[in-house]
Every structure is written in C-alpha cells, then in structure tokens.
Amino acid sequence: MSFLRRLPSDVRKSLAIEPGERVLTFAGADGGYVVATTLALFLSDGTRVPYETIDRASWDDDGLRVVTADGERRHERVGEPRLLPETLRERVNSTIVVNKRVVLPRGGVRLVARRRPGGEVLGWTLVFDDGLDPDDPGLRAQAEQALEGVRRSMGV
C-alpha cells in the first residue's frame, strides 16, 4: 500500500532538520519529495520553509502553491498529496496568534502575529493588499500605527 511507504533514508538525511524535529508526512513531487516536519515544510529542492513564514498555501489539480510572508511564491507539482494538505494547514494555523485586517485610506493590511511551533516569541508581519506598495513610507507609517493600536488593544 503506497500510503504506508516510508520516506527514503537518503532524502531524510539530506534535510536540514533541527534537533528534536520529526518528519510528519511527505509526498512525491516532480524532482523529489515535499516533506512536512514538526517545524517546517521542505520543498523538493531541499528549501526549508518554516511554518511561521508561510502566508498562504493552496492545493489544486496542479499541486501545491505556497506564498511566504515576504511575497515569495513557490509551486510544487505533487502527485498523490497523502496527508500533506491537512498537515500543512494545521501546522501553519498553529503559528498564528493574531490575524486582523485593518482598512487603510488606499486599501488594507493584515496584521499577523506568529510564533514558531513550540516557541513563545511573537513576530509581526504586515501583509498589504495586492496593488499596495509596502515600501511606500506613508503607507508603512499608517500600517505601523494600526499595528500599535492592535498590539495595545490585544495586549500582545
């Protein structure tokens, strides 16, 4: 049964796994394997994507699409996803402490507080609506002001 197949040992050894980190599930992809561990998603080229840096992940007939908080987009053609979609959703969602959208004069921004799995340190990410320039100093100042208000009101 293919569901019980194990991750090949050479693939497991090639992953930059931290002490105590465990493989949860994996799926075959063009060029290798996509692997979900307790702390990160490993793409088929070996790239480690910590869950707290993933803004969005979606699945379709063509495979997995991942967008990181810094806007990087990755696509993996995955044959049989196995438990990867559920595992990825659960792991990414578990890193989110606050996810609040704030309307700005020219659009909006999502204020997202995250923590590393098992960690306590919060990191905040500002995710601007498509079409807004995150490097615009005025827009950035408005978003930072909104962030301060959210942090005060939520005590984080």
Side-chain angles (χ1 to χ4, degrees), residues 14-77:
S14 73
L15 301 175
I17 291 181
E18 296 180 10
E21 185 174 6
R22 294 178 292 102
V23 171
L24 298 174
T25 190
F26 65 94
D30 285 355
Y33 291 88
V34 177
V35 180
T37 70
T38 50
L39 299 176
L41 179 70
F42 286 87
L43 303 177
S44 62
D45 66 0
T47 300
R48 178 187 180 91
V49 185
Y51 295 122
E52 66 272 18
T53 68
I54 297 175
D55 182 50
R56 291 186 307 266
S58 61
W59 293 87
D60 58 28
D61 292 340
D62 205 24
L64 166 66
R65 296 179 193 285
V66 175
V67 180
T68 60
D70 63 6
E72 182 181 356
R73 297 175 184 275
R74 298 292 299 257
H75 175 253
E76 291 280 353
R77 293 189 190 282

Side-chain angles (χ1 to χ4, degrees), residues 129-141:
D129 287 354
D130 287 341
L132 295 182
D133 180 6
D135 296 324
D136 176 315
L139 187 61
R140 191 114 193 134

Side-chain angles (χ1 to χ4, degrees), residues 111-127:
L111 310 173
V112 185
R114 302 183 92 157
R115 71 172 157 246
R116 187 169 195 249
E120 294 182 25
V121 176
L122 289 178
W124 286 89
T125 305
L126 305 176
V127 183

